[in-house]
Amino acid sequence: MSKDTDNPNLTPPPNTVTFALAQSHFLVGDITANAEKMRTLALQARDQGADVIVFPELALIGYPPQDLLLRPSLSGRVKSALSALSDIEDIVMIVGYPHVDHHGTFNSAAILHNGHQKGFYHKQFLPNYGVFDERRYFDRGRNQVLFDYKGITIGLLICEDLWEKGPIAELKKQGADIVVSLNASPFEMEKQDNRKAMLTKRSREHNLPIVYINAVGGQDDLVFDGGSMAVQADGTVAHEASRFVEQLLLTTLEVGSSKFDAQAKAPLTLSRESEIYQALVVGLRDYVYHSGFSGVLIGLSGGIDSALTLCIAVDALGADKVYAVMMPYEYTSKISLEDAQAQARRLNVSYTVCPIFDAVEGIRHTLAPLFNQSPADTTEENIQARARGVVLMALSNKFGHLVLTTGNKSELAVGYSTLYGDMAGGFDVLKDVYKSKVYDLANYRNRLEDTPVIPERVITRPPSAELRPDQKDQDSLPDYDVLDGILTLYIDEDMGYQDIIDKGFDANIVAKIIKMVDNSEYKRRQAPIGTKISHKAFGRERRYPLVNKWSING
Amino acid sequence: MSKDTDNPNLTPPPNTVTFALAQSHFLVGDITANAEKMRTLALQARDQGADVIVFPELALIGYPPQDLLLRPSLSGRVKSALSALSDIEDIVMIVGYPHVDHHGTFNSAAILHNGHQKGFYHKQFLPNYGVFDERRYFDRGRNQVLFDYKGITIGLLICEDLWEKGPIAELKKQGADIVVSLNASPFEMEKQDNRKAMLTKRSREHNLPIVYINAVGGQDDLVFDGGSMAVQADGTVAHEASRFVEQLLLTTLEVGSSKFDAQAKAPLTLSRESEIYQALVVGLRDYVYHSGFSGVLIGLSGGIDSALTLCIAVDALGADKVYAVMMPYEYTSKISLEDAQAQARRLNVSYTVCPIFDAVEGIRHTLAPLFNQSPADTTEENIQARARGVVLMALSNKFGHLVLTTGNKSELAVGYSTLYGDMAGGFDVLKDVYKSKVYDLANYRNRLEDTPVIPERVITRPPSAELRPDQKDQDSLPDYDVLDGILTLYIDEDMGYQDIIDKGFDANIVAKIIKMVDNSEYKRRQAPIGTKISHKAFGRERRYPLVNKWSING
């Protein structure tokens, strides 16, 4: 793998250093394949004239590796993989990896050059909040690391380090000309704006250019959204990589000037709906693809949640990998049947109608002697939902497709769903999307094409689970804008009863909603995963006890 | 609430200090009720002559409070509760509580005396491994705290602090005569032996007596098993509280001698099976009781897992709160029907037979047009399991009982169970109990009474899920002793492929089992909780990615 010295592009002018930002997807656990991907990208970057290639945080093992970091063979695997990269010449590789030695385990960046490990940096600030558990695994680094290359001094930081004031100030003091930051920063709404604001602030504070590399792709409930950047010493963003896609972004620093070469074309700034929609597409796509499923199966109800889920599935996997089933029963309206069919047709997916009368009747016959003619209640509604769950799971078992659930964050919050019924499935696309945002996303998706893919009626009719005659969601819940307002304050903002009332909501409704949220923790505990898009997603980001005697007001 | 000075017991001899160890159950979140319980216990201890009462770690909010610690009203609630205790006179109260101030949030112990807060100690070592997430919530204390009372100097530590070498050494240096340690230490097999060994070591190292208070009772998947102790400076255990029950244990230190008064009667040392069995009883009892369920519902199969689950439920809740249902289908043997009925009769619980033919046939009719006469496979087996799940959940919805699942750790590890089928329910009693241990516990329970409550045949016949003709577990799994051997090494000991083979297991079987474990993570993610008894229980203690490309051998 020697450098091709005949290629004139390979020798940059002596007063510049070219950085390659390897904004790529690295699979959790797959150390060998990730190292192989690094090799390919490094050679490609070198061919394009890069002097230094930088990979995301922990790229060698993927992020977050969770308890794989506790496996005893970790250290050996990492060492082999790093040494397998040592034959790459004429480009500096900065590799995120877990470092194990007699001092502990660290979240680190290795500097590899011409067969030598020139040094390594250990992350100093370990996030242990939200979705992050880094202090479960890592010890804290205590030292700055800088290295000289082609006439400049490069300082290293990893993710959280840059959100803190200290580490970059110390790098400046020790003579850094530029800071390189390795990240695995998961998507949240508006996060890219926050990253930009932070990078602008930090670069200006210290008059230092910053190269910021983020990972990309889905891992379980997280989506890494890329958007890697090169920020000049004056705080302006010189280069920004696209969001949600792999990209090898090259940027050249003029030594002495703290400026990067001008960018040919800035990527489009994404609208709020667009970035959420893309996150949901990527999260689903990577989960299905990496779990090895041949396709996905969706129970269509004719309602907006399953309609939007269907769109996202088609955009993620292609229409030929999406299977829709409508499972009508007594309370399914003609409108619902028509609209489900219309959705499937417009998106060109396989569509089947499978009435569940026999299943429900069979279950009711089985139960009749025990129920002893007790009056119907939610039990009978749950039986319908569970019959549908059984049908979907049977189709999944028989044909190998992953069942997608269609519950939104509002429903999941208040427990307006049936465990093992509509909650049965492997991935819940809208898990972190409040109902009001579901409408926004449906309208957004409809605007993308001349003919709306979701029939207008699906968006405008009052939502209903259709589990009894003339049922409407708003029979048992406040209007979704009120509900979502309360839920956002209680869940995402962690506000208490009194503070929410002070925001103008009705005390009785607030009390009722808080109680519903607290009482349905057991359902959420058994819910499938889904892509995080908010500041506080259900799952590992919000850890609540099941037995919980915290009083609403106290 | 003034001290009754007429009672001669209230004035201890001047050369002794009496400690009350409040080994009690404090409910997570219920700050007001927990403070009220502290008041009652303090007055009771004072009446019995105690000078100092010590409560467990974080007793004021219960352990583990999880993300309740992030709620903004926490600080105000804690302050009110502590100040409500300030009118208790003539006894020192050492109260575990979460301390919030402008320095951060701490896991603390307050020293309350005669209306004054005389001081507080902040835990220095915050566990962030296993089931513990303390660095998610707490800042680290940096100082020792000692206080003088009745002629002795008392030093405070909280849980993990004592497992480390430093803090007690520092207390000794600063002049402590005795160390008081507040704990919320969850049960694991053999944990009490480890605690004793540690206490003996620490007391001897520093020639210091130690008073060790542990919490008691179940909280979700954890059981606190009590076993509070007073350990003399020579390492001998002078007093030991009973395990798994509330107890107010008084122990008197002779000032100057570092010895406690002799104990009247030491509690029985529990056998391995006995302590596990009690942990399972307490874990289930407290979950059911505090979740407000009127009883539990168990699907009996005639097999050993549901038989043992039934015993534990009866021992936890009483026979009148336990409802058993046998749901036979085509492959249910006559033996299974007889044995299920015999179990229910011997334990005197409500027993119903509910054949699921109609339910299964209804579901199959519904699916027939889509299955298009494809040959039967595990899909049809799962349909049976799911029909049973639907029946149990319908009974639960109708009559308000909690469905218990009966899966053991071996099954859950390899995914030998049906999601939404036999995995449908709110609490899995045997979740952390390997199959070979299930046999041990069944035999243990049978030995407790003259007539065995589990028919001998249930224990001796080969296990079968009875989902197809002549099915045996060992058709698709190795013998349970081999399986559990491999699983213990892979899961509990975190060993890798090669190390397990080196222990003498067949390479092909090891590879197959590891793959089964890794591939069924998605099932475990949606499984109900169950009581932790091992060193590494599924759930919050073992955090694995769903998409996981870690290779078996690499």
Side-chain angles (χ1 to χ4, degrees):
Chain A
M1 298 274 176
S2 69
K3 189 167 162 181
D4 177 3
T5 45
D6 292 336
N7 186 335
N9 288 335
L10 293 185
T11 316
N15 57 339
T16 64
V17 178
T18 298
F19 292 87
L21 286 63
Q23 175 174 301
S24 288
H25 186 34
F26 293 93
L27 278 170
V28 162
D30 206 352
I31 293 177
T32 309
N34 290 340
E36 210 36 59
K37 187 165 189 174
M38 287 177 178
R39 164 185 297 282
T40 306
L41 287 164
L43 297 179
Q44 191 183 329
R46 192 183 67 183
D47 287 348
Q48 292 176 24
D51 300 297
V52 178
I53 183 166
V54 191
F55 298 97
E57 181 180 14
L58 287 182
L60 192 65
I61 192 171
Y63 196 94
Q66 300 191 273
D67 282 9
L68 291 174
L69 289 168
L70 305 177
R71 298 218 70 89
S73 61
L74 175 71
S75 167
R77 291 182 188 216
V78 166
K79 275 182 194 138
S80 322
L82 287 180
S83 78
L85 290 174
S86 66
D87 62 343
I88 300 174
E89 300 193 324
D90 296 324
I91 185 164
V92 173
M93 300 175 72
I94 302 179
V95 174
Y97 76 109
H99 179 106
V100 185
D101 65 20
H102 62 283
H103 296 295
T105 302
F106 301 90
N107 181 339
S108 306
I111 308 159
L112 308 180
H113 191 215
N114 290 343
H116 299 285
Q117 186 159 331
K118 288 183 66 175
F120 45 77
Y121 169 70
H122 299 331
K123 188 175 184 178
Q124 301 176 71
F125 286 88
L126 300 170
N128 208 64
Y129 54 79
V131 299
F132 302 108
D133 280 320
E134 292 202 12
R135 291 181 215 174
R136 181 174 171 87
Y137 310 106
F138 296 119
D139 297 290
R140 183 180 173 168
R142 302 278 170 186
N143 302 309
Q144 311 306 321
V145 169
L146 303 94
F147 69 101
D148 295 327
Y149 191 63
K150 299 216 166 178
I152 59 169
T153 300
I154 301 168
L156 296 183
L157 294 178
I158 300 177
C159 215
E160 196 82 357
D161 292 334
L162 195 56
W163 294 82
E164 299 286 331
K165 283 186 159 209
I168 188 172
E170 196 53 42
L171 284 177
K172 176 73 179 185
K173 219 164 81 183
Q174 295 186 20
D177 296 312
I178 185 168
V179 169
V180 167
S181 164
L182 291 71
N183 299 271
S185 173
F187 174 74
E188 276 176 20
M189 296 181 281
E190 305 176 23
K191 184 94 162 267
Q192 183 71 349
D193 294 347
N194 297 338
R195 290 179 195 133
K196 254 182 222 174
M198 178 276 288
L199 286 168
T200 295
K201 186 160 171 265
R202 289 279 176 263
S203 56
R204 275 191 197 153
E205 276 169 358
H206 301 288
N207 193 38
L208 269 178
I210 302 173
V211 172
Y212 177 98
I213 297 89
N214 195 16
V216 79
Q219 169 62 29
D220 291 358
D221 51 339
L222 303 183
V223 166
F224 300 93
D225 56 319
S228 302
M229 287 175 266
V231 180
Q232 307 196 133
D234 63 358
T236 54
V237 177
H239 294 262
E240 183 177 358
S242 295
R243 308 280 301 284
F244 300 104
V245 291
E246 293 199 320
Q247 190 175 346
L248 185 65
L249 177 70
L250 269 67
T251 177
T252 300
L253 185 77
E254 296 169 39
V255 174
S257 85
S258 299
K259 281 192 172 169
F260 295 96
D261 55 320
Q263 189 184 19
K265 194 169 67 103
L268 287 175
T269 299
L270 301 177
S271 71
R272 288 285 162 258
E273 282 75 29
S274 170
E275 65 168 12
I276 295 170
Y277 194 87
Q278 288 194 42
L280 298 175
V281 165
V282 169
L284 174 62
R285 182 198 65 201
D286 286 355
Y287 185 75
V288 172
Y289 180 67
H290 295 304
S291 302
F293 286 99
S294 55
V296 296
L297 182 62
I298 303 172
L300 291 187
S301 70
I304 190 166
D305 297 314
S306 54
L308 181 61
T309 301
L310 189 75
C311 294
I312 293 167
V314 168
D315 291 337
L317 309 166
D320 60 324
K321 293 203 167 54
V322 178
Y323 300 83
V325 190
M326 179 17 138
M327 295 167 286
Y329 185 63
E330 214 172 312
Y331 313 116
T332 307
S333 64
K334 188 164 152 286
I335 292 181
S336 295
L337 271 166
E338 291 167 2
D339 288 352
Q341 185 178 42
Q343 292 159 30
R345 279 212 182 131
R346 291 185 194 182
L347 286 164
N348 206 21
V349 303
S350 154
Y351 178 70
T352 316
V353 178
C354 176
I356 57 163
F357 289 92
D358 288 345
V360 173
E361 285 317 295
I363 295 164
R364 295 185 71 159
H365 271 147
T366 283
L367 286 163
L370 303 180
F371 275 11
N372 203 11
Q373 302 191 324
S374 63
D377 53 26
T378 50
T379 306
E380 282 70 20
E381 301 181 21
N382 285 333
I383 288 172
Q384 294 166 55
R386 292 198 174 108
R388 292 193 177 101
V390 171
V391 167
L392 286 173
M393 290 307 296
L395 292 171
S396 170
N397 290 163
K398 194 60 100 183
F399 302 113
H401 309 311
L402 175 73
V403 175
L404 301 185
T405 63
T406 63
N408 59 58
K409 188 173 188 175
S410 312
E411 287 177 5
L412 199 67
V414 296
Y416 195 76
S417 53
T418 302
L419 207 46
Y420 325 127
D422 50 306
M423 288 177 72
F427 200 92
D428 183 358
V429 177
L430 305 177
K431 182 173 185 177
D432 198 29
V433 184
Y434 282 120
K435 186 78 172 194
S436 27
K437 190 74 72 183
V438 168
Y439 285 101
D440 295 343
L441 292 175
N443 284 317
Y444 161 79
R445 183 63 183 80
N446 269 358
R447 284 195 303 271
L448 295 187
E449 294 180 43
D450 292 340
T451 312
V453 289
I454 301 174
E456 192 55 27
R457 193 165 62 176
V458 173
I459 299 177
T460 52
R461 65 192 281 226
S464 166
E466 295 194 331
L467 293 170
R468 59 173 183 266
D470 299 324
Q471 184 182 29
K472 301 274 175 297
D473 291 8
Q474 269 53 63
D475 298 344
S476 39
L477 296 174
D479 283 346
Y480 275 116
D481 53 345
V482 172
L483 178 64
D484 290 351
I486 295 170
L487 292 174
T488 302
L489 295 176
Y490 184 61
I491 294 160
D492 301 65
E493 307 294 331
D494 244 340
M495 273 191 196
Y497 170 74
Q498 193 56 53
D499 290 338
I500 299 174
I501 294 169
D502 292 347
K503 289 271 178 186
F505 292 97
D506 177 85
N508 289 330
I509 294 178
V510 172
K512 178 185 162 185
I513 298 303
I514 289 181
K515 209 161 189 173
M516 289 176 88
V517 173
D518 290 352
N519 288 347
S520 45
E521 188 58 33
Y522 75 99
K523 288 191 186 180
R524 287 189 290 273
R525 202 62 74 87
Q526 295 189 31
I529 63 162
T531 301
K532 162 186 162 72
I533 64 157
S534 76
H535 181 63
K536 181 139 1 190
F538 290 127
R540 66 175 122 180
E541 190 156 33
R542 188 177 186 275
R543 304 179 190 175
Y544 265 63
L546 294 178
V547 169
N548 169 6
K549 301 289 179 182
W550 185 264
S551 67
I552 287 177
N553 198 4
Chain B
M1 301 273 175
S2 70
K3 190 168 165 181
D4 177 5
T5 45
D6 292 336
N7 185 335
N9 289 333
L10 292 185
T11 315
N15 59 337
T16 63
V17 180
T18 298
F19 292 87
L21 285 63
Q23 175 175 302
S24 287
H25 185 36
F26 293 94
L27 278 170
V28 162
D30 207 353
I31 293 177
T32 309
N34 290 340
E36 210 37 60
K37 186 164 190 173
M38 287 177 181
R39 163 184 300 280
T40 306
L41 287 164
L43 298 179
Q44 190 183 328
R46 192 185 65 185
D47 287 349
Q48 293 177 23
D51 300 296
V52 178
I53 183 166
V54 191
F55 298 97
E57 179 181 16
L58 286 182
L60 192 66
I61 191 169
Y63 196 95
Q66 299 192 275
D67 281 9
L68 291 173
L69 290 168
L70 305 177
R71 298 218 70 90
S73 60
L74 174 72
S75 167
R77 292 182 187 216
V78 167
K79 276 183 192 135
S80 321
L82 287 181
S83 78
L85 290 174
S86 66
D87 62 343
I88 300 174
E89 299 193 328
D90 295 323
I91 185 165
V92 174
M93 301 176 71
I94 302 180
V95 174
Y97 76 108
H99 179 105
V100 185
D101 66 19
H102 62 284
H103 296 296
T105 302
F106 300 90
N107 180 341
S108 306
I111 307 159
L112 308 179
H113 191 215
N114 290 343
H116 299 287
Q117 184 158 332
K118 287 183 66 176
F120 44 77
Y121 169 69
H122 300 329
K123 188 176 185 178
Q124 301 175 73
F125 286 88
L126 301 170
N128 208 66
Y129 54 79
V131 299
F132 302 110
D133 280 318
E134 291 201 13
R135 293 182 211 171
R136 181 175 172 89
Y137 310 107
F138 297 119
D139 297 288
R140 182 179 175 169
R142 303 274 170 188
N143 302 309
Q144 311 305 322
V145 169
L146 304 93
F147 69 101
D148 295 328
Y149 191 62
K150 299 215 168 177
I152 58 168
T153 301
I154 301 169
L156 297 181
L157 294 179
I158 300 178
C159 215
E160 195 81 358
D161 291 334
L162 195 55
W163 294 83
E164 298 286 330
K165 285 185 158 211
I168 188 170
E170 195 55 39
L171 285 177
K172 176 73 180 185
K173 219 163 79 182
Q174 296 186 20
D177 297 311
I178 184 170
V179 169
V180 167
S181 164
L182 291 71
N183 299 271
S185 172
F187 173 74
E188 276 175 21
M189 296 181 280
E190 304 174 27
K191 184 93 162 266
Q192 183 71 350
D193 294 346
N194 297 338
R195 290 179 195 132
K196 255 182 223 173
M198 180 275 289
L199 286 168
T200 296
K201 185 160 173 261
R202 290 276 175 266
S203 55
R204 277 192 196 152
E205 277 169 357
H206 301 288
N207 193 36
L208 270 177
I210 302 173
V211 172
Y212 176 99
I213 297 89
N214 195 15
V216 79
Q219 169 63 29
D220 292 357
D221 51 338
L222 302 183
V223 166
F224 301 94
D225 56 320
S228 303
M229 287 175 264
V231 181
Q232 306 195 135
D234 64 359
T236 55
V237 177
H239 294 262
E240 182 177 358
S242 295
R243 307 278 302 283
F244 301 105
V245 292
E246 293 199 322
Q247 189 174 348
L248 187 64
L249 177 70
L250 268 67
T251 178
T252 300
L253 185 77
E254 296 169 39
V255 174
S257 85
S258 298
K259 282 192 171 171
F260 295 98
D261 56 321
Q263 189 184 18
K265 193 171 66 103
L268 287 174
T269 299
L270 301 177
S271 71
R272 288 284 162 258
E273 281 74 29
S274 170
E275 66 167 13
I276 295 170
Y277 194 88
Q278 288 195 42
L280 298 176
V281 165
V282 169
L284 174 62
R285 182 198 68 202
D286 286 356
Y287 185 76
V288 172
Y289 181 67
H290 296 303
S291 302
F293 286 98
S294 55
V296 295
L297 182 62
I298 303 172
L300 292 187
S301 69
I304 190 166
D305 298 313
S306 54
L308 180 62
T309 301
L310 189 75
C311 294
I312 293 167
V314 168
D315 292 338
L317 307 166
D320 60 324
K321 293 203 166 56
V322 178
Y323 301 83
V325 191
M326 175 25 138
M327 295 167 285
Y329 185 62
E330 215 173 312
Y331 313 115
T332 307
S333 64
K334 190 165 151 285
I335 292 180
S336 295
L337 271 166
E338 290 167 5
D339 289 352
Q341 187 179 42
Q343 292 160 29
R345 277 211 184 133
R346 293 187 192 182
L347 286 163
N348 206 22
V349 303
S350 154
Y351 177 71
T352 316
V353 178
C354 176
I356 57 163
F357 291 90
D358 288 346
V360 172
E361 285 317 295
I363 294 164
R364 294 185 70 158
H365 271 146
T366 283
L367 285 163
L370 303 181
F371 276 11
N372 204 13
Q373 305 192 321
S374 61
D377 53 26
T378 50
T379 306
E380 282 69 21
E381 301 180 22
N382 285 332
I383 288 172
Q384 293 166 54
R386 292 197 176 110
R388 294 193 176 100
V390 170
V391 167
L392 286 172
M393 289 306 297
L395 292 170
S396 170
N397 290 162
K398 192 62 99 185
F399 302 113
H401 309 311
L402 175 72
V403 175
L404 302 185
T405 62
T406 63
N408 59 58
K409 189 174 187 175
S410 313
E411 286 177 5
L412 200 66
V414 296
Y416 196 75
S417 53
T418 301
L419 206 48
Y420 325 129
D422 50 307
M423 290 178 72
F427 199 91
D428 183 359
V429 177
L430 305 178
K431 182 173 185 177
D432 198 27
V433 184
Y434 283 120
K435 185 81 174 193
S436 28
K437 189 76 72 187
V438 168
Y439 285 101
D440 295 344
L441 292 174
N443 285 315
Y444 160 80
R445 183 62 184 82
N446 269 359
R447 286 194 302 271
L448 294 187
E449 295 180 45
D450 292 340
T451 313
V453 289
I454 301 174
E456 192 55 28
R457 190 165 64 175
V458 172
I459 298 178
T460 52
R461 64 191 281 228
S464 165
E466 295 193 330
L467 293 171
R468 60 173 183 265
D470 299 322
Q471 184 182 29
K472 301 274 175 295
D473 290 9
Q474 270 52 64
D475 298 344
S476 38
L477 296 174
D479 282 349
Y480 275 116
D481 53 346
V482 172
L483 177 65
D484 290 353
I486 295 170
L487 292 175
T488 302
L489 296 177
Y490 184 61
I491 294 160
D492 301 65
E493 306 296 331
D494 245 340
M495 272 191 198
Y497 171 75
Q498 191 56 53
D499 290 338
I500 299 173
I501 294 169
D502 292 346
K503 290 270 178 187
F505 291 98
D506 176 86
N508 288 330
I509 294 177
V510 172
K512 179 185 162 184
I513 298 305
I514 290 182
K515 208 161 189 172
M516 289 176 89
V517 173
D518 291 352
N519 288 348
S520 46
E521 187 57 35
Y522 76 98
K523 288 190 185 178
R524 287 190 289 274
R525 201 64 74 86
Q526 295 189 32
I529 63 162
T531 300
K532 163 187 160 73
I533 64 157
S534 77
H535 180 64
K536 179 135 5 186
F538 289 126
R540 65 175 121 178
E541 190 156 30
R542 188 178 186 273
R543 304 180 189 174
Y544 264 65
L546 294 178
V547 169
N548 169 5
K549 301 290 177 182
W550 185 265
S551 66
I552 288 178
N553 197 6

